[in-house]
Amino acid sequence: MIKSILGRKLGMTQIYAEDGTVIPATVVQAGPCTITQVKTPERDGYSALQIGFGSRKAKNVNRPLKGHLDKVGKGYFTVLREVPVDDSGSFQIGQSLSTDLFEIGEHVDVIGTSKGKGFAGTIKRWGFKRGPSSHGCKNVREPGSTGMATFPGRVLKGKRMPGQKGNKRVTVLNLKIVDIRPEGDLLIVRGAVPGARNGIVLIRKTNRGK
């Protein structure tokens, strides 16, 4: 059984539960995805599927990838990802995957790339507090001391410092599917998922407690 599918974040909205409660939700276009390669334990040492999502013009595909996708005969894809499966022998190249993999009320993990926010200081990046802003103070937004004296005489690894904020792989766990609309290949999940509008996300069935 396959547990993952690629999709595109369309944006956030809100829906109403039966009791009138407002539920914040994210709309994701989940698929359709096409199986472009089947990996088996006999040939590759593990079971997995390579799936493609989105469409791309032939002129924007290099020759090795074009040769690989021509064997599938389903066009050229924007994104290719490999997802694990229990039994890859039950799938075929060219097979389509869509929202029928999921059910309303099921819980999923959503993986995406967070919004990039450029270089940020410690206050914005890590939530540090400001220093005193009275007369003569020079560390209003500076991080302050970052290390020790003579020993060990260096900044320890993992020290929270200014740097790149966002634009990283983020996984949001255990989100509930509140609605499925197969006619538009739409999954509506409770809460927020990482990334900007139209960003690519991977949706997988969670293996954690509900």
Side-chain angles (χ1 to χ4, degrees):
M1 181 180 72
I2 187 169
K3 300 181 179 180
S4 306
I5 193 172
L6 285 167
R8 186 185 305 276
K9 176 181 176 180
L10 300 182
M12 289 201 69
T13 184
Q14 58 185 21
I15 62 174
Y16 292 90
E18 294 180 357
D19 60 356
T21 304
V22 177
I23 301 175
T26 303
V27 182
V28 179
Q29 179 191 351
C33 294
T34 302
I35 298 177
T36 57
Q37 188 176 8
V38 177
K39 299 202 171 185
T40 62
E42 294 77 17
R43 185 179 65 248
D44 304 289
Y46 63 99
S47 293
L49 301 176
Q50 185 189 79
I51 59 176
F53 174 73
S55 61
R56 181 188 296 185
K57 294 181 180 180
K59 67 177 183 179
N60 297 326
V61 182
N62 59 38
R63 292 180 64 183
L65 183 57
K66 186 177 293 186
H68 173 63
L69 295 177
D70 283 342
K71 299 176 183 177
V72 183
K74 296 287 186 177
Y76 306 107
F77 303 99
T78 305
V79 185
L80 294 176
R81 289 288 186 278
E82 190 173 292
V83 296
V85 292
D86 297 329
D87 181 19
S88 59
S90 58
F91 298 93
Q92 296 180 350
I93 293 178
Q95 182 178 341
S96 182
L97 307 173
S98 60
T99 55
D100 55 7
L101 299 174
F102 304 93
E103 299 177 356
I104 296 176
E106 198 171 19
H107 288 71
V108 294
D109 301 336
V110 181
I111 304 170
T113 302
S114 62
K115 291 182 179 180
K117 298 180 180 179
F119 187 94
T122 53
I123 293 178
K124 181 176 179 180
R125 191 183 187 201
W126 302 111
F128 280 20
K129 292 184 178 180
R130 288 167 54 99
S133 56
S134 58
H135 180 69
C137 295
K138 299 180 180 179
N139 63 330
V140 178
R141 294 185 68 94
E142 293 179 4
S145 175
T146 60
M148 297 77 167
T150 304
F151 180 82
R154 61 186 174 85
V155 179
L156 298 179
K157 289 184 179 180
K159 176 67 178 175
R160 293 179 294 177
M161 301 277 280
Q164 169 70 31
K165 179 176 172 62
N167 195 28
K168 295 182 179 179
R169 178 186 171 100
V170 177
T171 303
V172 180
L173 304 176
N174 219 23
L175 297 177
K176 183 179 180 180
I177 297 176
V178 294
D179 196 7
I180 298 177
R181 301 181 183 178
E183 63 277 5
D185 298 308
L186 301 180
L187 285 181
I188 302 178
V189 297
R190 184 183 184 114
V193 304
R197 187 180 293 113
N198 292 323
I200 301 298
V201 295
L202 176 68
I203 305 145
R204 69 184 184 196
K205 294 186 179 181
T206 187
N207 57 1
R208 294 163 178 81
K210 307 298 184 291

